Amino acid sequence: MSRFFGPLVSDGRVPPHQQTRVAAFIVSAHGALARRLAFALPLRMESAWQTELNAQFYNESEIVSLLMRATSWTPDPALVYLAAAWETAWFPAPVEGIPDHSPALAVDLATLAHAIHAGIRPAALLPLEANASDPFVIALRRVEFESGRLLQAQILFLKGESLLPVRAAVSAALERRHAEVRKLWREMLQSIGISPDDENDRKP
């Protein structure tokens, strides 16, 4: 297995089958975040954090839209069952130690978003010889940039004073979500011949 995409095709582009599998995973993850953010948005905004939710919703939607258009899609029968497993993993999950329903859902969403934004680093898989003008390459770098920016919002929320009384529950939920996302990401990469062990060693 290789640490990076490849072997690249003749014009320095990522092979379509690798593009398809990676893009499908990222679209599934960020699409799930967009859907959950959409349901969390109120009809009328009355506080600052609600405007932040709105901004995050559109950023997640932009990531999905960008990858849908920039990817060289190719038929991948395995996505029938892979996508089902991914979508199940993004479902809301109860957060033990937070009895109130609304805060518990907010914490679960924030921990899932934190795990996705921090754990999925697709641009780190690009070899130096990848075609810098390829829309897919540009899209992956854009996704990683946006994820780094959005990550700050989750950090501010999860470390906020309002969650101090349930800090242990938040930490446990965050650790669980990170483990889930990391496992799915590693398995997906291995399925297309990429070793995930060293994928965080270097950024292009």
PDB file of all heavy atoms in Angstrom, residues 10-11 22 24 41 47 54 64 66 77 102 111 119 141 158 161 164 173 181-182 184 187 190 194:
ATOM      1  N   SER A  10      -1.765   9.545 -16.434  1.00  0.00           N
ATOM      2  CA  SER A  10      -0.719  10.193 -17.234  1.00  0.00           C
ATOM      3  C   SER A  10      -0.626  11.697 -17.064  1.00  0.00           C
ATOM      4  O   SER A  10       0.457  12.272 -17.135  1.00  0.00           O
ATOM      5  CB  SER A  10      -0.924   9.861 -18.715  1.00  0.00           C
ATOM      6  OG  SER A  10      -2.203  10.298 -19.148  1.00  0.00           O
ATOM      7  N   ASP A  11      -1.731  12.383 -16.819  1.00  0.00           N
ATOM      8  CA  ASP A  11      -1.685  13.833 -16.692  1.00  0.00           C
ATOM      9  C   ASP A  11      -1.576  14.292 -15.240  1.00  0.00           C
ATOM     10  O   ASP A  11      -1.835  15.447 -14.921  1.00  0.00           O
ATOM     11  CB  ASP A  11      -2.920  14.471 -17.337  1.00  0.00           C
ATOM     12  CG  ASP A  11      -4.221  13.905 -16.788  1.00  0.00           C
ATOM     13  OD1 ASP A  11      -4.156  12.981 -15.952  1.00  0.00           O
ATOM     14  OD2 ASP A  11      -5.294  14.390 -17.183  1.00  0.00           O
ATOM     15  N   VAL A  22     -13.174   8.232  -2.250  1.00  0.00           N
ATOM     16  CA  VAL A  22     -12.858   9.269  -1.255  1.00  0.00           C
ATOM     17  C   VAL A  22     -13.916  10.368  -1.266  1.00  0.00           C
ATOM     18  O   VAL A  22     -14.386  10.815  -0.211  1.00  0.00           O
ATOM     19  CB  VAL A  22     -11.454   9.858  -1.514  1.00  0.00           C
ATOM     20  CG1 VAL A  22     -11.219  11.115  -0.665  1.00  0.00           C
ATOM     21  CG2 VAL A  22     -10.387   8.817  -1.197  1.00  0.00           C
ATOM     22  N   ALA A  24     -17.019  10.149  -2.234  1.00  0.00           N
ATOM     23  CA  ALA A  24     -18.279   9.628  -1.705  1.00  0.00           C
ATOM     24  C   ALA A  24     -18.272   9.641  -0.184  1.00  0.00           C
ATOM     25  O   ALA A  24     -19.282   9.971   0.455  1.00  0.00           O
ATOM     26  CB  ALA A  24     -18.517   8.208  -2.224  1.00  0.00           C
ATOM     27  N   LEU A  41     -31.496  24.572  12.720  1.00  0.00           N
ATOM     28  CA  LEU A  41     -31.691  26.008  12.507  1.00  0.00           C
ATOM     29  C   LEU A  41     -33.121  26.430  12.842  1.00  0.00           C
ATOM     30  O   LEU A  41     -34.075  25.792  12.403  1.00  0.00           O
ATOM     31  CB  LEU A  41     -31.384  26.372  11.050  1.00  0.00           C
ATOM     32  CG  LEU A  41     -29.917  26.449  10.655  1.00  0.00           C
ATOM     33  CD1 LEU A  41     -29.786  26.628   9.150  1.00  0.00           C
ATOM     34  CD2 LEU A  41     -29.226  27.607  11.386  1.00  0.00           C
ATOM     35  N   SER A  47     -30.190  34.791  18.406  1.00  0.00           N
ATOM     36  CA  SER A  47     -28.934  34.853  19.158  1.00  0.00           C
ATOM     37  C   SER A  47     -27.753  34.635  18.216  1.00  0.00           C
ATOM     38  O   SER A  47     -27.911  34.153  17.090  1.00  0.00           O
ATOM     39  CB  SER A  47     -28.922  33.803  20.269  1.00  0.00           C
ATOM     40  OG  SER A  47     -28.993  32.511  19.713  1.00  0.00           O
ATOM     41  N   ASN A  54     -26.059  28.853  11.032  1.00  0.00           N
ATOM     42  CA  ASN A  54     -26.440  29.125   9.650  1.00  0.00           C
ATOM     43  C   ASN A  54     -25.219  29.149   8.738  1.00  0.00           C
ATOM     44  O   ASN A  54     -25.232  28.585   7.636  1.00  0.00           O
ATOM     45  CB  ASN A  54     -27.180  30.462   9.573  1.00  0.00           C
ATOM     46  CG  ASN A  54     -27.783  30.718   8.213  1.00  0.00           C
ATOM     47  OD1 ASN A  54     -28.767  30.110   7.827  1.00  0.00           O
ATOM     48  ND2 ASN A  54     -27.177  31.635   7.465  1.00  0.00           N
ATOM     49  N   VAL A  64     -19.993  19.854  -0.049  1.00  0.00           N
ATOM     50  CA  VAL A  64     -20.676  18.794  -0.794  1.00  0.00           C
ATOM     51  C   VAL A  64     -20.818  19.173  -2.264  1.00  0.00           C
ATOM     52  O   VAL A  64     -20.514  18.377  -3.161  1.00  0.00           O
ATOM     53  CB  VAL A  64     -22.056  18.504  -0.175  1.00  0.00           C
ATOM     54  CG1 VAL A  64     -22.858  17.555  -1.070  1.00  0.00           C
ATOM     55  CG2 VAL A  64     -21.909  17.924   1.225  1.00  0.00           C
ATOM     56  N   LEU A  66     -19.112  21.324  -4.036  1.00  0.00           N
ATOM     57  CA  LEU A  66     -17.808  21.400  -4.693  1.00  0.00           C
ATOM     58  C   LEU A  66     -17.319  20.020  -5.109  1.00  0.00           C
ATOM     59  O   LEU A  66     -16.899  19.813  -6.259  1.00  0.00           O
ATOM     60  CB  LEU A  66     -16.793  22.055  -3.743  1.00  0.00           C
ATOM     61  CG  LEU A  66     -15.348  22.127  -4.222  1.00  0.00           C
ATOM     62  CD1 LEU A  66     -15.233  22.974  -5.486  1.00  0.00           C
ATOM     63  CD2 LEU A  66     -14.453  22.671  -3.121  1.00  0.00           C
ATOM     64  N   PRO A  77     -19.611  -0.299  -7.448  1.00  0.00           N
ATOM     65  CA  PRO A  77     -20.674  -1.110  -6.832  1.00  0.00           C
ATOM     66  C   PRO A  77     -20.556  -1.216  -5.313  1.00  0.00           C
ATOM     67  O   PRO A  77     -21.565  -1.363  -4.620  1.00  0.00           O
ATOM     68  CB  PRO A  77     -20.504  -2.481  -7.494  1.00  0.00           C
ATOM     69  CG  PRO A  77     -19.810  -2.185  -8.791  1.00  0.00           C
ATOM     70  CD  PRO A  77     -18.890  -1.035  -8.503  1.00  0.00           C
ATOM     71  N   SER A 102     -32.096  18.599  24.292  1.00  0.00           N
ATOM     72  CA  SER A 102     -31.547  19.583  23.350  1.00  0.00           C
ATOM     73  C   SER A 102     -30.041  19.782  23.507  1.00  0.00           C
ATOM     74  O   SER A 102     -29.293  19.729  22.509  1.00  0.00           O
ATOM     75  CB  SER A 102     -32.275  20.919  23.494  1.00  0.00           C
ATOM     76  OG  SER A 102     -33.619  20.787  23.092  1.00  0.00           O
ATOM     77  N   THR A 111     -19.551  17.215  18.502  1.00  0.00           N
ATOM     78  CA  THR A 111     -18.475  16.218  18.568  1.00  0.00           C
ATOM     79  C   THR A 111     -18.308  15.497  17.238  1.00  0.00           C
ATOM     80  O   THR A 111     -17.184  15.203  16.819  1.00  0.00           O
ATOM     81  CB  THR A 111     -18.728  15.198  19.692  1.00  0.00           C
ATOM     82  OG1 THR A 111     -20.018  14.585  19.507  1.00  0.00           O
ATOM     83  CG2 THR A 111     -18.678  15.865  21.055  1.00  0.00           C
ATOM     84  N   GLY A 119     -10.420  14.779  11.678  1.00  0.00           N
ATOM     85  CA  GLY A 119      -9.917  13.462  11.326  1.00  0.00           C
ATOM     86  C   GLY A 119      -9.823  13.156   9.846  1.00  0.00           C
ATOM     87  O   GLY A 119      -9.077  12.267   9.442  1.00  0.00           O
ATOM     88  N   ARG A 141      -7.979  20.316  -1.386  1.00  0.00           N
ATOM     89  CA  ARG A 141      -7.268  21.334  -0.597  1.00  0.00           C
ATOM     90  C   ARG A 141      -8.241  22.358  -0.015  1.00  0.00           C
ATOM     91  O   ARG A 141      -8.067  22.830   1.114  1.00  0.00           O
ATOM     92  CB  ARG A 141      -6.203  22.007  -1.457  1.00  0.00           C
ATOM     93  CG  ARG A 141      -5.037  21.060  -1.742  1.00  0.00           C
ATOM     94  CD  ARG A 141      -3.972  21.665  -2.612  1.00  0.00           C
ATOM     95  NE  ARG A 141      -2.808  20.784  -2.664  1.00  0.00           N
ATOM     96  CZ  ARG A 141      -2.028  20.626  -3.720  1.00  0.00           C
ATOM     97  NH1 ARG A 141      -2.285  21.308  -4.828  1.00  0.00           N
ATOM     98  NH2 ARG A 141      -0.986  19.813  -3.671  1.00  0.00           N
ATOM     99  N   LEU A 158     -17.480  23.390  22.416  1.00  0.00           N
ATOM    100  CA  LEU A 158     -17.232  22.266  23.313  1.00  0.00           C
ATOM    101  C   LEU A 158     -16.441  22.668  24.551  1.00  0.00           C
ATOM    102  O   LEU A 158     -16.520  21.999  25.585  1.00  0.00           O
ATOM    103  CB  LEU A 158     -16.499  21.149  22.553  1.00  0.00           C
ATOM    104  CG  LEU A 158     -17.306  20.474  21.445  1.00  0.00           C
ATOM    105  CD1 LEU A 158     -16.420  19.563  20.618  1.00  0.00           C
ATOM    106  CD2 LEU A 158     -18.476  19.680  22.038  1.00  0.00           C
ATOM    107  N   GLU A 161     -18.200  27.719  28.590  1.00  0.00           N
ATOM    108  CA  GLU A 161     -18.560  27.668  30.011  1.00  0.00           C
ATOM    109  C   GLU A 161     -19.866  26.917  30.249  1.00  0.00           C
ATOM    110  O   GLU A 161     -20.058  26.289  31.295  1.00  0.00           O
ATOM    111  CB  GLU A 161     -18.670  29.083  30.573  1.00  0.00           C
ATOM    112  CG  GLU A 161     -17.340  29.819  30.638  1.00  0.00           C
ATOM    113  CD  GLU A 161     -17.479  31.182  31.295  1.00  0.00           C
ATOM    114  OE1 GLU A 161     -18.591  31.497  31.773  1.00  0.00           O
ATOM    115  OE2 GLU A 161     -16.480  31.909  31.339  1.00  0.00           O
ATOM    116  N   LEU A 164     -19.273  23.275  31.127  1.00  0.00           N
ATOM    117  CA  LEU A 164     -18.370  22.918  32.222  1.00  0.00           C
ATOM    118  C   LEU A 164     -18.957  21.870  33.168  1.00  0.00           C
ATOM    119  O   LEU A 164     -18.253  20.934  33.572  1.00  0.00           O
ATOM    120  CB  LEU A 164     -17.971  24.172  33.017  1.00  0.00           C
ATOM    121  CG  LEU A 164     -16.921  25.078  32.364  1.00  0.00           C
ATOM    122  CD1 LEU A 164     -16.696  26.312  33.223  1.00  0.00           C
ATOM    123  CD2 LEU A 164     -15.610  24.320  32.156  1.00  0.00           C
ATOM    124  N   ALA A 173     -17.895  11.663  24.786  1.00  0.00           N
ATOM    125  CA  ALA A 173     -18.594  11.671  23.495  1.00  0.00           C
ATOM    126  C   ALA A 173     -17.641  12.045  22.369  1.00  0.00           C
ATOM    127  O   ALA A 173     -17.696  11.470  21.269  1.00  0.00           O
ATOM    128  CB  ALA A 173     -19.763  12.651  23.546  1.00  0.00           C
ATOM    129  N   VAL A 181     -15.100   7.906  13.458  1.00  0.00           N
ATOM    130  CA  VAL A 181     -14.727   8.527  12.183  1.00  0.00           C
ATOM    131  C   VAL A 181     -13.368   8.016  11.718  1.00  0.00           C
ATOM    132  O   VAL A 181     -13.172   7.696  10.535  1.00  0.00           O
ATOM    133  CB  VAL A 181     -14.718  10.062  12.310  1.00  0.00           C
ATOM    134  CG1 VAL A 181     -14.128  10.707  11.055  1.00  0.00           C
ATOM    135  CG2 VAL A 181     -16.128  10.577  12.554  1.00  0.00           C
ATOM    136  N   ARG A 182     -12.420   7.915  12.643  1.00  0.00           N
ATOM    137  CA  ARG A 182     -11.079   7.440  12.293  1.00  0.00           C
ATOM    138  C   ARG A 182     -11.121   6.025  11.735  1.00  0.00           C
ATOM    139  O   ARG A 182     -10.448   5.705  10.749  1.00  0.00           O
ATOM    140  CB  ARG A 182     -10.182   7.519  13.526  1.00  0.00           C
ATOM    141  CG  ARG A 182      -8.719   7.159  13.277  1.00  0.00           C
ATOM    142  CD  ARG A 182      -7.835   7.583  14.445  1.00  0.00           C
ATOM    143  NE  ARG A 182      -8.315   7.052  15.704  1.00  0.00           N
ATOM    144  CZ  ARG A 182      -8.816   7.804  16.689  1.00  0.00           C
ATOM    145  NH1 ARG A 182      -8.931   9.117  16.546  1.00  0.00           N
ATOM    146  NH2 ARG A 182      -9.201   7.235  17.815  1.00  0.00           N
ATOM    147  N   LEU A 184     -13.695   4.445  10.222  1.00  0.00           N
ATOM    148  CA  LEU A 184     -14.318   4.439   8.894  1.00  0.00           C
ATOM    149  C   LEU A 184     -13.371   5.014   7.839  1.00  0.00           C
ATOM    150  O   LEU A 184     -13.280   4.486   6.720  1.00  0.00           O
ATOM    151  CB  LEU A 184     -15.616   5.247   8.926  1.00  0.00           C
ATOM    152  CG  LEU A 184     -16.776   4.629   9.707  1.00  0.00           C
ATOM    153  CD1 LEU A 184     -17.930   5.617   9.794  1.00  0.00           C
ATOM    154  CD2 LEU A 184     -17.240   3.333   9.056  1.00  0.00           C
ATOM    155  N   GLU A 187     -10.539   2.464   7.119  1.00  0.00           N
ATOM    156  CA  GLU A 187     -11.029   1.316   6.346  1.00  0.00           C
ATOM    157  C   GLU A 187     -11.295   1.701   4.899  1.00  0.00           C
ATOM    158  O   GLU A 187     -11.000   0.917   3.981  1.00  0.00           O
ATOM    159  CB  GLU A 187     -12.304   0.780   6.991  1.00  0.00           C
ATOM    160  CG  GLU A 187     -12.065   0.071   8.315  1.00  0.00           C
ATOM    161  CD  GLU A 187     -13.351  -0.349   9.005  1.00  0.00           C
ATOM    162  OE1 GLU A 187     -14.439   0.101   8.554  1.00  0.00           O
ATOM    163  OE2 GLU A 187     -13.282  -1.112   9.982  1.00  0.00           O
ATOM    164  N   GLN A 190      -7.908   2.042   3.089  1.00  0.00           N
ATOM    165  CA  GLN A 190      -7.320   0.726   2.835  1.00  0.00           C
ATOM    166  C   GLN A 190      -8.007   0.030   1.666  1.00  0.00           C
ATOM    167  O   GLN A 190      -7.363  -0.702   0.912  1.00  0.00           O
ATOM    168  CB  GLN A 190      -7.417  -0.137   4.092  1.00  0.00           C
ATOM    169  CG  GLN A 190      -6.495   0.317   5.209  1.00  0.00           C
ATOM    170  CD  GLN A 190      -6.713  -0.435   6.503  1.00  0.00           C
ATOM    171  OE1 GLN A 190      -7.800  -0.968   6.748  1.00  0.00           O
ATOM    172  NE2 GLN A 190      -5.690  -0.486   7.340  1.00  0.00           N
ATOM    173  N   ILE A 194      -4.564   2.607  -0.009  1.00  0.00           N
ATOM    174  CA  ILE A 194      -3.826   3.657   0.688  1.00  0.00           C
ATOM    175  C   ILE A 194      -3.658   3.262   2.143  1.00  0.00           C
ATOM    176  O   ILE A 194      -4.634   2.910   2.821  1.00  0.00           O
ATOM    177  CB  ILE A 194      -4.550   5.012   0.597  1.00  0.00           C
ATOM    178  CG1 ILE A 194      -4.624   5.471  -0.855  1.00  0.00           C
ATOM    179  CG2 ILE A 194      -3.853   6.075   1.449  1.00  0.00           C
ATOM    180  CD1 ILE A 194      -5.407   6.752  -1.069  1.00  0.00           C
TER     181      ILE A 194
END
